[in-house]
Amino acid sequence: MQPALIEFRHIYKVYGRGEAAIKALDDVNLTIAAGDFVAIMGPSGSGKSTAMNILGCLDVPSGGEYLFQGISTANFSREQYTLLRRHMLGFVFQGFNLLARTSAVENVELPLVYRGMEARERRQKALAALEQVGLKGRESHTTQELSGGQQQRVAIARAIVTDPAVLLADEPTGNLDTRTSIEIMDLITRLNKERGITVIMVTHEEDIAAHARRLLRFVDGKLASDSDTDAEGDGHVA
């Protein structure tokens, strides 16, 4: 039997000490299979953002064990965490996090620069990623010349250009209008369905979460529920 792609075993996260200590995560257990599409929800302070940071290896737990592809990260060095992020994870943020006054293709190339990829191959992969997210013909446009939805498409292209196993999306539609949000969610759903990329998404919007196949709800640092949604895997609610 293949191990889960991602597993939390009794994960705790505590900030501060003594009477000032805050337990952001409290004995969280969960598994995520390869190819899954998971939405994470919860009120402010529920632990959902902390869980996302640990999933993305941007933070480490105070206790418990995080396994990726069956391998414990408990004793990973900073360099090992960096390599895991660089080669296995792609990130999409609410604020796009693109370089200003820089072309779309140059933004998408950036993760490949960090990998030391040769310039010609780097450019080919970036152009292919932009075409996949529907931005063929916009490659030379700077961020100021793109709409919010187009900027998020560039961010998604940057996230998938490295062929990650997992796409971590933190409020990916938070800065977008309703129509554009649907377009972005259709794109993310297609990447999950057609490319088999595991998607883990934090959102506070029920209609956005409904695009996922599975919903995790956090309350007071605990995983309060883990349920299937009505999504059919085509980017729309059944």
Side-chain angles (χ1 to χ4, degrees):
M1 185 176 178
Q2 291 293 324
L5 176 64
I6 285 171
E7 186 174 0
F8 273 15
R9 294 180 179 174
H10 303 288
I11 290 289
Y12 288 84
K13 183 63 182 182
V14 179
Y15 295 104
R17 295 182 179 180
E19 294 183 1
I22 298 174
K23 191 177 288 185
L25 292 178
D26 185 3
D27 194 23
V28 174
N29 294 278
L30 63 85
T31 60
I32 297 174
D36 207 350
F37 187 167
V38 178
I40 299 176
M41 299 191 73
S44 178
S46 64
K48 64 183 185 299
S49 295
T50 301
M52 191 68 153
N53 286 338
I54 293 174
L55 287 164
C57 299
L58 301 172
D59 200 354
V60 295
S62 303
E65 195 172 21
Y66 173 27
L67 289 83
F68 192 93
Q69 293 185 331
I71 299 172
S72 174
T73 64
N75 296 314
F76 272 22
S77 65
R78 183 174 296 182
E79 181 180 3
Q80 286 174 307
Y81 275 117
T82 298
L83 290 172
L84 178 56
R85 288 194 302 270
R86 186 175 296 170
H87 292 276
M88 303 301 294
L89 308 177
F91 296 88
V92 177
F93 302 97
Q94 177 178 346
F96 316 140
N97 289 10
L98 300 176
L99 296 177
R101 298 182 298 279
T102 303
S103 70
V105 70
E106 289 170 330
N107 268 286
V108 176
E109 284 183 311
L110 194 58
L112 304 178
V113 172
Y114 294 143
R115 283 192 178 186
M117 185 176 290
E118 186 268 336
R120 183 176 179 181
E121 182 183 2
R122 194 169 71 217
R123 180 57 56 97
Q124 289 175 340
K125 286 182 70 70
L127 291 172
L130 285 168
E131 183 173 0
Q132 187 167 12
V133 301
L135 287 181
K136 185 175 176 62
R138 295 285 192 275
E139 299 91 346
S140 63
H141 287 56
T142 64
T143 53
Q144 293 96 329
E145 297 171 324
L146 299 172
S147 68
Q150 289 171 333
Q151 289 184 54
Q152 192 61 296
R153 287 175 183 269
V154 173
I156 293 170
R158 181 184 58 191
I160 67 171
V161 75
T162 58
D163 297 315
V166 182
L167 179 66
L168 295 137
D170 190 359
E171 300 282 5
T173 63
N175 286 339
L176 305 175
D177 60 42
T178 301
R179 182 181 63 82
T180 307
S181 295
I182 292 172
E183 293 175 356
I184 292 300
M185 289 312 304
D186 283 347
L187 172 58
I188 291 174
T189 302
R190 191 170 74 248
L191 291 169
N192 168 253
K193 185 176 181 180
E194 296 179 2
R195 288 186 51 167
I197 298 175
T198 304
V199 177
I200 305 173
M201 173 182 67
V202 166
T203 182
H204 66 278
E205 301 176 71
E206 296 282 351
D207 58 335
I208 296 300
H211 287 75
R213 288 192 294 271
R214 184 175 162 203
L215 176 59
L216 308 180
R217 291 188 185 273
F218 281 79
V219 177
D220 295 332
K222 294 181 177 292
L223 180 57
S225 66
D226 180 351
S227 60
D228 293 334
T229 69
D230 294 325
E232 296 294 330
D234 61 357
H236 299 281
V237 180

